[in-house]
Amino acid sequence: MGETSSSQTVCTKLDRIANLAKQVPTPLTTLAHHIDIDWLREAHRRTRKGGARGVDGQSAEQYERALEGNLAALLERVKAGTYRAPPVRRVYIPKGDGQQRPLGIPTYEDKVLQRAVTMVLEAVYEQEFLDCSYGFRPGRSAHQALSALRDTVMEMKGAWVLEVDVQKYFDTIDHGQLRDVLHRRIGDGAILRLIGKWLHAGVLEDGELRQTDSGTPQGGVISPMLANIFLHDILDVWFEREVKPRLRGRAKLVRFADDFVIAFEREDDALRVKEVLPKRFDRFGLTLHPDKTRLVRFQPPEDGRKDDDGKGGSLRTFDLLGFTHYWAKSARGFWVVQVKTAKSRVSRALARLSDWCRRNRHLPVAVQWRQLTAKLRGHYAYFGIIGNAKALFAVNHAAYRIWRQWLNRRSQRARVTWEAMGRLVRRYPLPRLPVLRSLRA
């Protein structure tokens, strides 16, 4: 059966699951039988192929050489209940603050099966998820979350904004609590057993296997879905159905995975929620960062009043999804909410760029140029928002400086002067700043 035919068959099944989820409010018990060879073939098609290799050392390209046989063998083990989830390989990547961030790398076959189960869960939970949730959902994006928040704050003519930071959320989700949440909607034992195997697969680091009793599978395709399901239950539903009806003014929750803020019209509402929120999360084994969780009075400045830099901007700012939100005057003279790259994200981007140039400085210049171009275009695609030109220019200017710095480290004899760098970038120009767009675009 061709790829197009397989995709059409799977889409039909996904529609059936979605319709079943709409009609049946009780736990769904007949889900795993939808996972057949067409389903796995479609899961393979949707799985990213260029990632690092897991503990078995097999690449996506190698797996594809005998794809049909591999998928058939995988399906047989899943149906027989003999599939064993391999541990994830742990590596570390640098963070912007100089520390190391752990990253888990599953095997490619495990990614395919996790994608297959994620497709089932997505069909079910897309009927459950609320409008306040934007992360890792089809047809939704971080920019849409930022746009919704901006519109809310503008409608309120300023707001009390509760910034919330959940400490190590993905690493601290309690397995027992997560299973309880899943059981409220998923009653298929085969699906639940597969998820249980991934939760307990463990991590392989320096040749030593370490078991985990909390957290979602590191680097796993299914991890964002499980994290979304957990916060949907303990935060989204609770806030929309229990908290908002008790508030005296308007309020809006905007969440992208574990990054979220709540905008309030009234200070007293904000203070009440700020007090109760840590208790709510503690009930489910989660902790809010005491220093990074804060209440901000985000109001347009009074005309004529200056902020700390003397330029007449916002009295206070807050961050969400890598952007700092601030007040600025529009071309027509009205106070509007604009966004710019958060300082921490600029530092992180430049640190990663420098680290990549350091590790790859001996590659041919043309190869370096292609990779740097791709990295900068990715940065511009996300941060190329109206009001953010200054931060984008800073990254663009620093990229040339960083590239020259590490090209100079290739040899003590062949130094790259600024004049030589000018000739080089005429041949290998880094991408120009993009045309800035609205968050609505």
Side-chain angles (χ1 to χ4, degrees):
M1 184 179 288
E3 184 176 287
T4 302
S5 181
S6 292
S7 296
Q8 291 173 346
T9 300
V10 171
C11 286
T12 301
K13 291 182 176 182
L14 288 169
D15 288 340
R16 290 175 186 166
I17 295 173
N19 289 329
L20 181 66
K22 290 177 184 177
Q23 298 168 9
V24 181
T26 55
L28 303 176
T29 58
T30 56
L31 296 172
H33 73 280
H34 291 289
I35 300 178
D36 56 14
I37 198 68
D38 288 333
W39 194 281
L40 290 179
R41 194 182 292 117
E42 177 65 11
H44 158 73
R45 188 185 70 81
R46 297 186 184 189
T47 301
R48 180 171 171 263
K49 309 299 190 295
R53 305 182 185 193
V55 294
D56 62 354
Q58 188 177 46
S59 66
E61 182 182 12
Q62 291 170 330
Y63 194 83
E64 282 184 317
R65 291 174 188 165
L67 180 62
E68 293 302 313
N70 286 333
L71 294 181
L74 173 60
L75 180 62
E76 182 179 352
R77 280 177 282 144
V78 170
K79 296 297 184 183
T82 59
Y83 181 80
R84 298 188 64 179
V88 298
R89 181 169 67 87
R90 176 177 282 174
V91 297
Y92 291 87
I93 58 174
K95 296 172 62 176
D97 57 6
Q99 299 181 4
Q100 297 287 310
R101 181 190 303 277
L103 179 67
I105 303 174
T107 65
Y108 181 75
E109 182 174 72
D110 209 36
K111 291 179 184 178
V112 171
L113 186 54
Q114 287 191 30
R115 175 63 65 192
V117 174
T118 298
M119 289 159 56
V120 174
L121 296 178
E122 184 177 276
V124 174
Y125 280 96
E126 274 302 307
Q127 321 313 314
E128 307 283 323
F129 289 154
L130 304 181
D131 285 342
C132 60
S133 169
Y134 292 85
F136 304 107
R137 295 182 58 190
R140 295 199 150 215
S141 69
H143 287 174
Q144 289 176 340
L146 294 167
S147 178
L149 179 62
R150 178 187 182 277
D151 289 347
T152 294
V153 172
M154 293 288 290
E155 288 172 7
M156 293 180 180
K157 296 181 172 57
W160 293 86
V161 177
L162 182 59
E163 278 189 275
V164 184
D165 183 272
V166 186
Q167 288 187 326
K168 298 182 178 179
Y169 173 63
F170 283 84
D171 296 332
T172 57
I173 295 176
D174 182 82
H175 289 172
Q177 298 273 16
L178 176 59
R179 281 193 294 269
D180 289 343
V181 169
L182 286 168
H183 285 164
R184 293 170 193 164
R185 205 69 187 95
I186 307 298
D188 190 308
I191 296 292
L192 293 172
R193 282 191 293 273
L194 280 173
I195 294 174
K197 289 178 180 181
W198 288 317
L199 292 176
H200 295 98
V203 174
L204 189 66
E205 182 176 3
D206 297 328
E208 180 182 348
L209 179 62
R210 301 177 183 177
Q211 297 297 330
T212 55
D213 55 8
S214 63
T216 54
Q218 277 200 348
V221 174
I222 201 169
S223 185
M225 173 57 71
L226 296 178
N228 245 357
I229 292 170
F230 199 51
L231 273 184
H232 162 75
D233 198 85
I234 70 173
L235 175 64
D236 301 356
V237 173
W238 169 75
F239 183 78
E240 294 294 331
R241 299 178 186 174
E242 297 186 34
V243 175
K244 283 181 69 172
R246 294 179 168 87
L247 301 180
R248 300 176 65 185
R250 290 178 292 174
K252 185 175 182 65
L253 165 67
V254 175
R255 181 175 70 81
F256 189 98
D258 62 324
D259 289 326
F260 68 94
V261 301
I262 310 175
F264 298 89
E265 189 175 28
R266 295 174 58 97
E267 181 185 13
D268 55 347
D269 287 338
L271 290 171
R272 288 169 58 198
V273 175
K274 184 175 184 290
E275 181 181 358
V276 74
L277 197 61
K279 302 173 185 176
R280 172 71 179 178
F281 273 66
D282 184 64
R283 283 181 53 192
F284 294 90
L286 299 173
T287 304
L288 301 187
H289 197 294
D291 299 323
K292 296 181 180 180
T293 299
R294 62 179 188 135
L295 184 61
V296 176
R297 184 179 184 272
F298 189 67
Q299 305 289 341
E302 299 175 10
D303 286 334
R305 184 171 180 176
K306 304 295 184 181
D307 63 4
D308 292 340
D309 62 9
K311 297 180 180 179
S314 171
L315 296 178
R316 294 293 298 273
T317 63
F318 69 92
D319 292 350
L320 179 67
L321 298 174
F323 286 95
T324 295
H325 295 66
Y326 66 100
W327 290 97
K329 281 289 187 73
S330 69
R332 299 174 61 185
F334 299 108
W335 286 109
V336 296
V337 178
Q338 291 192 348
V339 296
K340 59 185 177 182
T341 312
K343 290 182 180 179
S344 61
R345 292 297 288 268
V346 172
S347 300
R348 186 190 310 177
L350 296 181
R352 288 180 175 176
L353 197 66
S354 180
D355 181 69
W356 187 91
C357 288
R358 176 185 62 80
R359 289 184 288 105
N360 296 278
R361 63 187 182 275
H362 295 297
L363 292 177
V365 170
V367 176
Q368 292 188 43
W369 170 71
R370 285 194 292 270
Q371 291 294 321
L372 289 173
T373 296
K375 291 178 184 298
L376 286 172
R377 282 179 176 161
H379 184 87
Y380 297 158
Y382 183 71
F383 289 105
I385 302 299
I386 292 173
N388 197 29
K390 183 177 180 181
L392 292 174
F393 181 80
V395 170
N396 180 269
H397 179 75
Y400 285 99
R401 176 178 51 79
I402 291 169
W403 194 16
R404 173 178 175 267
Q405 171 191 343
W406 288 109
L407 287 175
N408 266 325
R409 301 287 184 92
R410 300 197 333 164
S411 170
Q412 292 292 334
R413 291 172 293 179
R415 306 296 292 177
V416 182
T417 64
W418 278 112
E419 182 180 357
M421 189 67 183
R423 292 193 298 269
L424 184 144
V425 297
R426 281 194 291 272
R427 183 176 181 184
Y428 299 107
L430 294 179
R432 295 182 178 181
L433 294 183
V435 176
L436 302 184
R437 63 193 188 281
S438 166
L439 283 172
R440 299 179 186 276

